[in-house]
Amino acid sequence: MKNTFGTSVQMTIFGESHGRAIGAVLDGLAPGIEIDHEFIAGQLTKRRPAGKISTSRIEQDEFEILSGVHNGKTSGTPIMIVIPNKNLKSTDYTESPRLARPGHADLTANFKYHGFEDFRGGGHFSGRITAAVVAAGSIAALALKNKGITVGTHIKACAGIHDRSFADIKDDINTLNGMNFAVLDSEIAAAMVEKIELAASEGDSVGGILETAVYGFPAGVGEPFFDSVESELSHALFSIPAVKGVQFGDGFGMTIMRGSEANDEFEVRDGKIITKTNRNGGVNGGITNGMPIIFSTAIKPTPSIYKPQHTVDYEKRENAELRLKGRHDPAIIHRARVVQDSMTALVMCDLLCQRFGTDYLMPEK
Amino acid sequence: MKNTFGTSVQMTIFGESHGRAIGAVLDGLAPGIEIDHEFIAGQLTKRRPAGKISTSRIEQDEFEILSGVHNGKTSGTPIMIVIPNKNLKSTDYTESPRLARPGHADLTANFKYHGFEDFRGGGHFSGRITAAVVAAGSIAALALKNKGITVGTHIKACAGIHDRSFADIKDDINTLNGMNFAVLDSEIAAAMVEKIELAASEGDSVGGILETAVYGFPAGVGEPFFDSVESELSHALFSIPAVKGVQFGDGFGMTIMRGSEANDEFEVRDGKIITKTNRNGGVNGGITNGMPIIFSTAIKPTPSIYKPQHTVDYEKRENAELRLKGRHDPAIIHRARVVQDSMTALVMCDLLCQRFGTDYLMPEK
Amino acid sequence: MKNTFGTSVQMTIFGESHGRAIGAVLDGLAPGIEIDHEFIAGQLTKRRPAGKISTSRIEQDEFEILSGVHNGKTSGTPIMIVIPNKNLKSTDYTESPRLARPGHADLTANFKYHGFEDFRGGGHFSGRITAAVVAAGSIAALALKNKGITVGTHIKACAGIHDRSFADIKDDINTLNGMNFAVLDSEIAAAMVEKIELAASEGDSVGGILETAVYGFPAGVGEPFFDSVESELSHALFSIPAVKGVQFGDGFGMTIMRGSEANDEFEVRDGKIITKTNRNGGVNGGITNGMPIIFSTAIKPTPSIYKPQHTVDYEKRENAELRLKGRHDPAIIHRARVVQDSMTALVMCDLLCQRFGTDYLMPEK
Amino acid sequence: MKNTFGTSVQMTIFGESHGRAIGAVLDGLAPGIEIDHEFIAGQLTKRRPAGKISTSRIEQDEFEILSGVHNGKTSGTPIMIVIPNKNLKSTDYTESPRLARPGHADLTANFKYHGFEDFRGGGHFSGRITAAVVAAGSIAALALKNKGITVGTHIKACAGIHDRSFADIKDDINTLNGMNFAVLDSEIAAAMVEKIELAASEGDSVGGILETAVYGFPAGVGEPFFDSVESELSHALFSIPAVKGVQFGDGFGMTIMRGSEANDEFEVRDGKIITKTNRNGGVNGGITNGMPIIFSTAIKPTPSIYKPQHTVDYEKRENAELRLKGRHDPAIIHRARVVQDSMTALVMCDLLCQRFGTDYLMPEK
């Protein structure tokens, strides 16, 4: 479905980096969910660049909701959210030759759209479009919260430095959701920032791993064979620019375990069936088992770097050298984290409503 | 779409481990593709257990094509492939208590299907169902071959031992497709088998990493934002039982690189734009760039092990101990490899036909 | 989705008239629904030709369920139903020139499948494939019955002769479901048969109108804008060969009414909101209003007739005359009626589960 | 997919009658299509009420394109069109009791959205939302025109008075597309207007039949079994408010024909295979046969009438009388006609791109 995703709860996105606006249509969300504008604005702020480790372009992510909300609550019909593009310097782009930025989609967009694409700032492929995902996903997060389901993401690793693992997941999610640079161990956070600044000083960039936990999600959700929880989540997560890997629970770490270690043994505790460990990330056979859902993504280093790079002019089809100017992040992982939270919230809403119906997320009157 | 996947080329699967049959309906494939029964049978053989490192259950994967083929060629209408289940020992299961096998879907299936599920041998969640994927995917592979596109998978790692990387990808794919135990370096293969046998002797199991290459695939394919090549492939790959991670190109390995290392620089060679390295696995911004498409999956250790495990009786909701009998593989990675090949072939056919139309895979008359 | 339809409950069909088998995969139906083989066989019998007004080909519609049923009840996973083709006389077709039968899909199939199509007996376009719809739809009907929802269809008109309208809908549905030639007024039925026999004696055929009622369906179901009850039903109904029109309630009859006549006034009766009339067929704005859902389809005359017809040989691209031999129905409307019932049951199940979740059709334990 | 329709070319709509804006996201359209703003504005004007036979509310349908267009041409990424709502008199609605307007969706929306719906002016169910369909569909029409495919709709019948049939279809489409009140015979047009004015003078309304022709569409398009041309078109057409019936070719008229009359005989003319008649509306077996595609819809009389009507207050659940004030059309058929044109253009683009790929509609460079 190209720019639309979801079955019962659906999101359609649109927009280009240097066009008039970006935005999203969020459809299928239950009626009666209160819209907390401050929360949405706060989530957008987490995605916005800030300080030394982010681009100095000031993106004004003022969103407007044009439909689907009545008297401050969702009405059940499509919610249209638009975020106008401001602070544009399109003249940066007008006369430049068509140099394909390595690691970006400039060239593949050209292959696909035959030169008609809006290439300015990456166009539709810009990370900017994820602001629409955050706006829509924040409404999904509000819907989940009403049902006692919370989502949180931390920078599990950045430039090779690792944060501590999730411990008390409910608390950790809470803590993370109050943070701008979402690392559970504050000393580790400082070390990561140092690494990012070092890369920046060398005209280079870094990547890392984002790990997400979903707490309070019911068991028995997921549609095998093809629409497993893992399939649906990975489909959405791989849409986020810079994501090059997705793993559930211990993921690739399980490949060096024995079965006796990788299997999560079951046990009855307080009348409830739980697993003693959670190496499978809360999902067996594509269906949730009632444990926290845990997964992580590989975020590649920001492809925009100041170091000169070899590339091609794809109009002239000749070799060239690229020296990027303008504003570029040495890391986007701390910003991508709220995108991952938001995308997760959307998918979880969809899975719940496929399973339990379209009224499931409606608050008690 | 639950048990159906794909947009232009679609597969629907059905069946349970101990039911009458498993199978698949393959729809949307172009007319005129010659059905090579021997090739399909050969692929099914690769998935079948054999020798010491696999279960001793002899699965007779005799497939029948009931529709969609006329005069030995695809007719353009749905291809129905059925594989009867034989050699069943269902009595193994009839009187047993409902003990949830750790790492399996017994419990989550029970949560979802409320006790009505066919639990025998894992039912619909059994790895056996992947034989249907292989049968259908083999026809997709034949369609790709007509267009000069080949797919191959090797055991990149097993029990912590690593195969060499892809070198000459076209040749390597060829080599792999002639192998039953698909490892590029034969000494490494022997070491892996040793590790598997060791685990088996201890009543345990091992996992590993499967890496796939697609050669000859055209540039400019993939539908952003949500139906990127990565999204579509990962959606299908995570449906394969035991897959807990998917990464493209260097994937999680990119998270410790600098941008200057992770970016694949472009260059014009013989009038064609290529990348000097292929850390992004042939995909930029969700669209193919004309380089080989490379990705790998994390295959967790086979959950069925002989070692005693703690678990629960989920009918009585009480703790229990599980001691598995019967036939179980100490490793399935060498068998899963042809499932990954087949699933990949299906997704690649779908992506091509979404992009270039439903006749694209039709051979020249 | 080509040969797959539905969102929460899905059907995939396959097969050709003269292939080895036809069948369907029914996916997403709730677990626990008892399979009444006799009922399904009875529905298939209603579709089978019989007596003077139908073709003398004896179709043996012996169905087998190969998956998705455990201990006589649905297990929640895909239900695969196969109906082998027997009694074939394929030699009828081998040497004949490729004459496009007017009103059939021979020529358009050739345009689409470039000569690779299985043209024998219309191949995938044969009415025979509707036996698969009946088998799958009968299971859907069983699921609805558990919830007090019934579906019935009568021959509203045949060869210009009209049956009486629905009166007590619950009773009428009951009556119709016990009939082979589903006409509410028995004198009208006799007159229709006479007309059919007259047409047959002249080597010709007739058509008519099938009207369906759904009783007991809850209010508030349907997904606007695009997945309205009317949109979903018409999508499925137009798939039935020979259907050339679909209308809800008074449909085209409303086009000569005034608004004051066409509007169904509301009224509170016994604490429940009902409409005094039901010209809109139980649907307002694409959503059910709790009244019986009523719609009808235009069934064109059977295109296979004995009268000589002008046509073309589409291989030689020259004009020709067609004189059909073999077994052909002078009318199929009395057989199509159970196809319409079955397709309706499928769509209604899907709409319910989209709205109320995948467990909605599960019987109370 | 609720408010999204289409497979290769997709439209997502949003908005409410008295909300801030309505609009559409058009996705999957090929790059390079020139946007003719004047044409789009002209189409919107045709939908706008005007003169005595339409409501006196002046709707300012000033559309803005916020994404997907670069240098005046489609870029290949989602085209977002927004039409702000102006000239609102929401105070009309604030204090009124919740009286369900007969023939409208007020009550069913309440059933579905539990009172959270934006009921003002029908909210999301208002005919106003069709302006978004017209804006998006006009771009689709421009894409078709580049390929020599044209679409035109006439008022086949209004209040029981019938226009002449299509004759020279190419010319007739041309003529119709220049008209505001699209009737081929000008005397008939005058008689229709008279009937509309008569109904208006009596506080009542009328309906009619809209017939559409698509000229120049290639043969061999359509995806059986379920995604036939008829299924796809009817799915979209039944989404248009007031449509209660859809028929192809002679549709319900075929039900009183004999097969020998209903069958369109084939013939080779100038080396091309054509049909002598076109009673099947250019579609056999769900696939186009190269003849003009012809279908018609039943448009029920406008449900908003001034005559007092019995109804219910659905909050208090008691009987009530409704006396509508404000601005209401005695007929909407002349306005709905451009909605039908637009919806048709969208579906035809989707069918073409499913069949021939995503670049098919791209103009020659």
Side-chain angles (χ1 to χ4, degrees):
Chain A
M1 291 296 289
K2 296 181 170 85
N3 290 282
T4 298
F5 186 74
T7 298
S8 186
V9 175
Q10 299 157 344
M11 179 169 58
T12 299
I13 62 153
F14 62 86
E16 292 93 28
S17 176
H18 287 59
R20 293 189 50 192
I22 61 161
V25 182
L26 177 59
D27 191 15
L29 208 61
I33 297 161
E34 214 168 316
I35 299 297
D36 180 342
H37 281 78
E38 217 168 305
F39 173 73
I40 303 169
Q43 294 295 87
L44 284 168
T45 299
K46 287 179 191 157
R47 203 204 67 89
R48 264 205 294 268
K52 266 192 290 190
I53 60 173
S54 292
T55 156
S56 55
R57 168 175 170 184
I58 302 147
E59 298 183 30
Q60 307 252 4
D61 289 340
E62 283 163 21
F63 68 98
E64 296 177 66
I65 296 179
L66 299 189
S67 71
V69 174
H70 184 52
N71 295 332
K73 292 178 178 167
T74 58
S75 61
T77 50
I79 302 166
M80 199 287 186
I81 310 164
V82 69
I83 306 177
N85 283 332
K86 299 175 184 174
N87 191 35
L88 297 177
K89 298 192 187 172
S90 285
T91 48
D92 288 353
Y93 296 89
T94 40
E95 306 249 329
S96 59
R98 298 292 172 269
L99 301 187
R101 293 169 301 160
H104 277 287
D106 301 335
L107 181 68
T108 51
N110 186 264
F111 284 148
K112 183 160 170 58
Y113 302 116
H114 307 281
F116 294 109
E117 69 276 6
D118 181 352
F119 58 87
R120 298 168 302 163
H124 188 57
F125 297 85
S126 165
R128 167 137 187 80
I129 207 140
T130 60
V133 173
V134 172
S138 300
I139 298 175
L142 289 168
L144 291 176
K145 220 166 112 185
N146 293 337
K147 307 292 287 187
I149 302 166
T150 54
V151 179
T153 298
H154 71 131
I155 304 174
K156 181 69 186 289
C158 179
I161 297 177
H162 281 71
D163 191 18
R164 75 159 167 85
S165 296
F166 278 114
D168 180 315
I169 286 182
K170 193 178 174 182
D171 280 1
D172 282 350
I173 289 175
N174 244 340
T175 306
L176 290 169
N177 287 342
M179 292 172 141
N180 274 315
F181 193 82
V183 178
L184 290 166
D185 181 320
S186 59
E187 284 181 35
I188 296 289
M192 286 178 182
V193 170
E194 214 170 293
K195 281 278 194 182
I196 296 171
E197 288 173 346
L198 177 65
S201 73
E202 296 172 9
D204 218 327
S205 66
V206 298
I209 296 172
L210 287 175
E211 188 181 44
T212 299
V214 181
Y215 180 83
F217 199 82
V221 176
E223 300 293 335
F225 185 77
F226 288 110
D227 289 350
S228 70
V229 170
E230 289 140 324
S231 287
E232 294 275 17
L233 269 170
S234 71
H235 190 135
L237 293 167
F238 271 117
S239 304
I240 303 174
V243 170
K244 294 300 282 188
V246 172
Q247 60 186 353
F248 286 80
D250 285 357
F252 282 89
M254 295 173 91
T255 67
I256 51 169
M257 294 179 191
R258 285 281 183 84
S260 54
E261 188 186 358
N263 285 349
D264 298 307
E265 291 186 317
F266 296 106
E267 139 179 273
V268 178
R269 198 179 291 171
D270 306 329
K272 211 188 139 190
I273 300 173
I274 60 157
T275 61
K276 294 182 183 185
T277 49
N278 190 10
R279 301 200 187 286
N280 284 277
V283 183
N284 293 131
I287 303 175
T288 55
N289 64 16
M291 298 300 291
I293 299 163
I294 311 279
F295 58 87
S296 50
T297 56
I299 307 293
K300 72 175 183 179
T302 327
S304 296
I305 56 175
Y306 293 104
K307 280 192 174 175
Q309 297 176 87
H310 294 111
T311 188
V312 297
D313 181 319
Y314 54 84
E315 281 194 334
K316 297 188 187 156
R317 298 222 143 206
E318 60 189 33
N319 290 319
E321 197 190 61
L322 177 73
R323 289 172 182 274
L324 281 182
K325 289 170 192 172
R327 309 153 302 195
H328 304 290
D329 284 342
I332 50 104
I333 192 165
H334 53 296
R335 300 171 59 194
R337 152 263 184 152
V338 71
V339 180
Q340 187 152 314
D341 277 337
S342 305
M343 196 68 100
T344 302
L346 282 158
V347 175
M348 297 336 273
C349 283
D350 185 24
L351 286 166
L352 286 168
C353 294
Q354 283 187 59
R355 181 74 177 90
F356 300 120
T358 52
D359 283 353
Y360 182 74
L361 294 170
M362 189 171 63
E364 316 273 316
K365 266 199 179 177
Chain B
M1 291 297 290
K2 297 180 169 84
N3 290 283
T4 299
F5 186 74
T7 298
S8 187
V9 175
Q10 298 156 347
M11 179 169 57
T12 299
I13 61 152
F14 61 87
E16 292 93 27
S17 175
H18 287 58
R20 294 188 50 195
I22 61 161
V25 182
L26 178 59
D27 191 16
L29 209 61
I33 298 160
E34 213 169 318
I35 299 297
D36 179 342
H37 280 79
E38 216 168 307
F39 173 73
I40 302 170
Q43 294 294 88
L44 284 168
T45 299
K46 287 179 191 159
R47 202 204 68 90
R48 265 204 295 266
K52 265 192 290 191
I53 59 173
S54 292
T55 156
S56 54
R57 167 176 171 182
I58 301 147
E59 301 183 28
Q60 308 252 5
D61 290 339
E62 283 163 21
F63 68 97
E64 296 176 67
I65 296 179
L66 299 189
S67 71
V69 174
H70 184 53
N71 295 332
K73 291 178 179 168
T74 58
S75 61
T77 51
I79 302 165
M80 199 287 185
I81 310 163
V82 69
I83 305 176
N85 283 332
K86 298 176 185 173
N87 191 33
L88 296 177
K89 298 193 186 172
S90 285
T91 48
D92 287 354
Y93 297 90
T94 39
E95 306 249 329
S96 57
R98 297 290 172 269
L99 301 188
R101 292 170 302 160
H104 276 286
D106 301 334
L107 182 68
T108 51
N110 186 263
F111 285 148
K112 183 160 169 57
Y113 301 115
H114 308 281
F116 293 110
E117 68 277 5
D118 182 352
F119 58 87
R120 297 169 301 163
H124 188 56
F125 296 85
S126 165
R128 167 135 188 83
I129 207 140
T130 60
V133 173
V134 172
S138 299
I139 299 176
L142 289 167
L144 292 176
K145 220 166 111 186
N146 292 337
K147 304 293 288 187
I149 302 167
T150 53
V151 178
T153 299
H154 70 129
I155 304 174
K156 181 70 186 290
C158 179
I161 297 177
H162 282 69
D163 191 19
R164 75 158 168 85
S165 296
F166 278 114
D168 181 314
I169 286 182
K170 194 178 174 183
D171 279 1
D172 283 348
I173 289 174
N174 246 339
T175 307
L176 291 169
N177 287 341
M179 291 173 140
N180 274 316
F181 193 83
V183 177
L184 291 166
D185 181 320
S186 59
E187 284 180 36
I188 296 287
M192 286 180 183
V193 170
E194 212 170 296
K195 282 277 193 181
I196 296 171
E197 288 173 345
L198 177 66
S201 73
E202 296 173 11
D204 218 330
S205 66
V206 298
I209 297 172
L210 288 175
E211 189 181 43
T212 298
V214 181
Y215 180 83
F217 199 82
V221 176
E223 298 294 335
F225 187 76
F226 287 110
D227 290 350
S228 70
V229 170
E230 289 140 322
S231 287
E232 294 275 16
L233 269 170
S234 71
H235 190 135
L237 293 167
F238 271 117
S239 303
I240 303 173
V243 170
K244 295 301 281 188
V246 172
Q247 60 187 355
F248 286 80
D250 286 356
F252 283 89
M254 294 173 91
T255 67
I256 51 168
M257 293 178 190
R258 286 282 185 83
S260 55
E261 188 187 357
N263 286 348
D264 298 308
E265 291 186 317
F266 297 105
E267 141 178 271
V268 178
R269 199 179 291 171
D270 305 329
K272 211 188 139 192
I273 299 173
I274 60 156
T275 62
K276 295 182 182 184
T277 50
N278 190 10
R279 302 200 186 286
N280 285 276
V283 183
N284 293 132
I287 303 174
T288 54
N289 63 17
M291 299 299 291
I293 299 164
I294 311 280
F295 57 86
S296 50
T297 57
I299 307 292
K300 71 174 184 180
T302 326
S304 296
I305 56 175
Y306 293 104
K307 280 192 173 174
Q309 296 177 87
H310 295 112
T311 188
V312 297
D313 181 320
Y314 55 83
E315 280 193 336
K316 297 188 185 156
R317 298 222 143 207
E318 60 188 33
N319 290 319
E321 198 191 58
L322 178 73
R323 287 171 183 276
L324 282 181
K325 289 169 192 171
R327 311 154 298 195
H328 304 290
D329 283 342
I332 50 105
I333 191 164
H334 53 297
R335 301 171 58 194
R337 152 264 183 152
V338 71
V339 180
Q340 187 151 314
D341 277 337
S342 304
M343 195 68 100
T344 302
L346 282 160
V347 175
M348 297 336 272
C349 283
D350 185 25
L351 286 166
L352 285 168
C353 294
Q354 284 186 58
R355 181 75 178 89
F356 300 120
T358 52
D359 283 353
Y360 183 75
L361 294 170
M362 189 170 64
E364 316 273 317
K365 267 199 180 177
Chain C
M1 291 296 290
K2 297 179 170 84
N3 290 282
T4 299
F5 186 74
T7 298
S8 186
V9 175
Q10 298 157 345
M11 179 169 57
T12 299
I13 62 152
F14 62 86
E16 292 93 28
S17 176
H18 286 58
R20 294 189 48 194
I22 61 161
V25 182
L26 178 60
D27 191 16
L29 209 62
I33 298 161
E34 214 168 317
I35 298 297
D36 180 342
H37 281 78
E38 216 168 308
F39 173 74
I40 302 169
Q43 295 294 88
L44 284 167
T45 300
K46 287 180 190 158
R47 203 204 68 88
R48 263 204 296 266
K52 266 192 290 191
I53 59 174
S54 292
T55 155
S56 56
R57 167 175 170 183
I58 300 146
E59 299 184 29
Q60 307 252 4
D61 290 340
E62 283 163 22
F63 68 98
E64 296 176 66
I65 296 179
L66 299 189
S67 71
V69 174
H70 184 52
N71 295 331
K73 291 178 178 167
T74 58
S75 61
T77 50
I79 302 165
M80 199 288 186
I81 310 163
V82 69
I83 305 176
N85 283 332
K86 298 175 184 173
N87 191 35
L88 297 177
K89 299 193 187 171
S90 284
T91 47
D92 288 352
Y93 296 90
T94 39
E95 307 249 332
S96 58
R98 298 289 172 271
L99 300 187
R101 292 169 301 160
H104 277 286
D106 301 335
L107 181 68
T108 52
N110 187 263
F111 285 148
K112 183 159 169 60
Y113 302 115
H114 306 281
F116 293 109
E117 68 278 3
D118 181 352
F119 59 87
R120 297 168 300 163
H124 188 56
F125 297 84
S126 165
R128 166 136 187 83
I129 207 140
T130 60
V133 174
V134 172
S138 300
I139 299 176
L142 289 168
L144 292 176
K145 219 167 112 184
N146 292 337
K147 306 293 287 187
I149 302 166
T150 53
V151 178
T153 298
H154 70 130
I155 305 174
K156 182 68 188 286
C158 179
I161 297 177
H162 282 71
D163 191 19
R164 75 160 167 85
S165 296
F166 279 114
D168 181 314
I169 286 181
K170 194 177 174 182
D171 279 1
D172 283 349
I173 289 174
N174 246 340
T175 307
L176 290 169
N177 287 342
M179 291 173 141
N180 274 316
F181 194 82
V183 178
L184 291 166
D185 181 319
S186 59
E187 285 182 35
I188 297 287
M192 286 178 182
V193 170
E194 212 169 295
K195 282 277 193 183
I196 296 171
E197 288 173 346
L198 177 65
S201 73
E202 296 173 10
D204 218 328
S205 66
V206 298
I209 297 172
L210 287 175
E211 188 182 42
T212 299
V214 181
Y215 180 83
F217 199 82
V221 176
E223 300 293 335
F225 185 76
F226 287 110
D227 289 350
S228 70
V229 170
E230 289 139 323
S231 288
E232 294 275 18
L233 270 170
S234 71
H235 190 135
L237 292 167
F238 270 116
S239 304
I240 303 173
V243 170
K244 295 300 281 189
V246 172
Q247 60 187 355
F248 286 81
D250 285 357
F252 282 90
M254 294 173 90
T255 68
I256 52 168
M257 294 179 191
R258 286 282 184 84
S260 55
E261 189 187 355
N263 287 348
D264 298 308
E265 291 186 316
F266 296 106
E267 144 178 86
V268 178
R269 198 178 292 171
D270 305 329
K272 212 189 139 191
I273 300 173
I274 60 156
T275 62
K276 294 182 184 185
T277 50
N278 190 10
R279 302 201 186 285
N280 284 277
V283 183
N284 293 131
I287 303 174
T288 55
N289 63 18
M291 299 299 291
I293 299 163
I294 310 279
F295 58 86
S296 50
T297 56
I299 308 292
K300 71 174 185 180
T302 326
S304 295
I305 57 174
Y306 293 104
K307 280 192 173 174
Q309 298 176 87
H310 295 111
T311 188
V312 297
D313 180 320
Y314 54 84
E315 280 193 334
K316 298 188 186 155
R317 299 223 143 207
E318 61 189 30
N319 290 320
E321 197 191 59
L322 177 74
R323 290 174 181 272
L324 281 181
K325 289 171 192 172
R327 311 154 297 196
H328 304 290
D329 284 342
I332 49 106
I333 190 164
H334 53 297
R335 299 171 59 195
R337 152 264 184 153
V338 72
V339 180
Q340 187 151 315
D341 277 337
S342 304
M343 196 67 100
T344 302
L346 282 160
V347 176
M348 296 338 271
C349 283
D350 185 25
L351 286 166
L352 286 168
C353 294
Q354 283 186 60
R355 181 74 177 91
F356 300 120
T358 52
D359 283 353
Y360 183 75
L361 294 170
M362 188 170 64
E364 317 273 318
K365 265 198 182 180
Chain D
M1 292 296 289
K2 296 179 169 86
N3 290 282
T4 299
F5 186 74
T7 297
S8 186
V9 175
Q10 299 157 345
M11 178 170 57
T12 299
I13 61 152
F14 63 85
E16 292 92 29
S17 176
H18 286 60
R20 293 188 50 194
I22 61 162
V25 181
L26 177 60
D27 192 15
L29 208 62
I33 298 160
E34 213 169 317
I35 299 296
D36 180 342
H37 281 78
E38 217 169 306
F39 173 72
I40 303 169
Q43 294 295 87
L44 284 167
T45 299
K46 286 180 191 156
R47 203 204 67 89
R48 263 204 296 267
K52 265 192 292 191
I53 60 172
S54 293
T55 156
S56 55
R57 167 176 171 183
I58 301 147
E59 300 184 29
Q60 307 252 2
D61 290 339
E62 283 162 21
F63 68 99
E64 295 176 68
I65 296 179
L66 299 189
S67 72
V69 174
H70 184 53
N71 294 333
K73 291 178 179 167
T74 58
S75 62
T77 51
I79 302 166
M80 198 287 185
I81 311 163
V82 68
I83 306 177
N85 282 332
K86 297 175 185 172
N87 191 33
L88 297 177
K89 298 192 187 174
S90 286
T91 48
D92 288 353
Y93 296 89
T94 40
E95 308 248 332
S96 57
R98 297 290 171 269
L99 300 187
R101 292 169 302 161
H104 277 285
D106 301 335
L107 182 68
T108 52
N110 186 263
F111 285 148
K112 184 159 168 60
Y113 301 116
H114 306 282
F116 294 109
E117 69 276 6
D118 182 351
F119 58 86
R120 297 169 302 164
H124 188 57
F125 297 84
S126 165
R128 167 135 188 81
I129 207 141
T130 59
V133 173
V134 172
S138 300
I139 298 175
L142 289 167
L144 292 176
K145 219 167 113 185
N146 292 337
K147 305 294 287 187
I149 302 166
T150 53
V151 178
T153 298
H154 70 129
I155 305 174
K156 181 69 186 289
C158 180
I161 296 177
H162 282 69
D163 191 19
R164 75 160 168 85
S165 296
F166 278 114
D168 181 314
I169 286 182
K170 193 178 175 183
D171 279 1
D172 283 348
I173 288 174
N174 245 340
T175 307
L176 290 169
N177 287 341
M179 291 174 141
N180 274 315
F181 194 82
V183 177
L184 290 166
D185 181 320
S186 59
E187 283 181 36
I188 296 287
M192 286 179 183
V193 170
E194 212 170 296
K195 282 278 194 182
I196 296 171
E197 288 173 346
L198 178 64
S201 73
E202 295 172 11
D204 218 328
S205 66
V206 298
I209 297 172
L210 287 175
E211 189 181 43
T212 299
V214 181
Y215 180 84
F217 199 83
V221 177
E223 299 293 336
F225 186 78
F226 287 111
D227 290 351
S228 70
V229 170
E230 289 139 323
S231 287
E232 293 276 15
L233 270 169
S234 72
H235 191 136
L237 293 167
F238 270 117
S239 303
I240 303 174
V243 170
K244 296 299 283 188
V246 172
Q247 61 187 354
F248 286 79
D250 284 357
F252 282 89
M254 295 173 90
T255 68
I256 51 170
M257 294 178 189
R258 285 283 184 84
S260 55
E261 188 187 358
N263 286 349
D264 298 307
E265 291 187 316
F266 296 106
E267 137 178 274
V268 178
R269 197 179 294 170
D270 305 329
K272 212 188 138 191
I273 300 173
I274 60 156
T275 62
K276 294 182 182 185
T277 50
N278 190 10
R279 302 201 186 284
N280 284 276
V283 182
N284 293 131
I287 302 174
T288 55
N289 64 17
M291 299 299 291
I293 299 164
I294 310 278
F295 58 87
S296 50
T297 56
I299 307 292
K300 71 174 184 180
T302 327
S304 296
I305 56 174
Y306 293 105
K307 280 193 173 172
Q309 297 177 88
H310 294 112
T311 190
V312 296
D313 180 320
Y314 53 84
E315 280 193 335
K316 297 188 187 155
R317 298 221 143 208
E318 59 188 34
N319 290 319
E321 197 190 61
L322 178 73
R323 288 172 182 275
L324 282 181
K325 290 171 191 173
R327 311 154 300 196
H328 304 290
D329 283 343
I332 49 104
I333 191 165
H334 53 298
R335 300 170 60 193
R337 152 263 183 153
V338 71
V339 179
Q340 187 152 315
D341 277 337
S342 304
M343 195 69 99
T344 302
L346 282 160
V347 175
M348 298 336 274
C349 283
D350 185 25
L351 286 166
L352 285 168
C353 294
Q354 283 186 61
R355 181 75 177 90
F356 300 120
T358 52
D359 283 354
Y360 182 75
L361 294 170
M362 189 170 64
E364 316 274 316
K365 266 198 180 178

